Amino acid sequence: MTTETHPGPRFTRADPIPQHHAVRSPVGRIVSWLALAIVLLIILNTLLHNDNIHLDVIARYLFDWRILEGVLGAIALAVVSFVFASVIGVVVGYARVSRNPVARTASWLYVWFFRSVPLIVFILIFGNFALFLPKLGIGLPFTDVSFWSVSTNSVLVPMVAGGVALSLEQGAYLAEIVRAGTQSVSESQREAAAAMGLSPWQIERKVVLPQAIPVMIPPAGSTFVLLLKSTSLVYAIAGTEVLGVAEQIASQNLATMEMLFVASIWYLVLTSLASLGQRYLERRTSAYRRRVRTTDAAVTAQAATEGDAGARSA
């Protein structure tokens, strides 16, 4: 007894390939847009027709000189912290891929520690660092001999303490970005460069970094956007960035919600501008990587063609 099997339908080039999702009805898209519009209208109506929110207060303080100083303080804090975090990230990131086991272990401990503890905890620790070390100075270890010392509170003012915390915490994330970027370059390219007589520094500068930097820029841009938003946490130690200034004003005029809306508007503006810059960098790096891939493919094809021609002539 034999059992006949019926194969499924076969399609040739002339037969149309069934595409169940090729034709989409616009009804679902229209319903989605209507739902989104309704939600936005509800939110706007709640804000504009709420007796507990005074829009004139928001408009009055949106460009208040104290708020603008807080905006500049947030920008300066984010930029300076990102510069120091980048230096830390490069050093620790390269230590993570070092052949030295001590450097690898120390860098791993750094990344593990600063990625595990919440940022707000570090900000509070450095904001109250004088409780741990009343004075900072230089002297002989394990002795009472001191060559120079200064009060901790005079050095770690709120904005400096916040910048130190932000730099150390974000440096751990940038270190992982650097590590991933350098490891994206294959080991064979390093070996080929070493065979050509390049020094380790020349290999990193001429072979690894030109390929790793385009990979690192997009996540580094996202890190800066996150850092810009995280500057708001410095208000916990009376920092003078946007949220800290808004809280100080709210304690005077008792318009707490209005001042929180003012701070939110400015953070939306700052992070949106930073996101646009990130998008621009991503497009530039994507175009660069496409050009590199096209050039490599052309060189490979040319080498193959020349090799075939040499083999035929031989």
Side-chain angles (χ1 to χ4, degrees), residues 2 30 48 56 90 129 185 201 213 224 282 284 291-292 304 308 310 312:
T2 59
I30 293 174
L48 298 177
D56 58 326
V90 170
F129 205 69
V185 181
W201 166 245
I213 288 178
F224 178 75
E282 288 181 357
R284 291 295 299 270
R291 287 198 300 269
V292 169
D308 293 341
R312 285 195 298 268

Side-chain angles (χ1 to χ4, degrees), residues 93-94 97 177-186 190 204 208-209 212 216:
Y94 270 97
V97 296
I177 293 174
V178 172
R179 179 187 64 82
T182 55
Q183 288 183 335
S184 66
V185 181
S186 63
R190 291 184 172 90
E204 293 296 326
V208 177
L209 287 179
M216 293 187 288

Side-chain angles (χ1 to χ4, degrees), residues 2 24 63 68 89 100 122 173 181 184 277:
T2 59
R24 297 181 180 180
F63 295 100
L68 295 179
N100 189 329
F122 285 123
Y173 289 96
S184 66

Side-chain angles (χ1 to χ4, degrees), residues 295-311:
T295 303
D296 291 344
V299 170
T300 303
Q302 182 179 359
T305 303
E306 292 176 354
D308 293 341

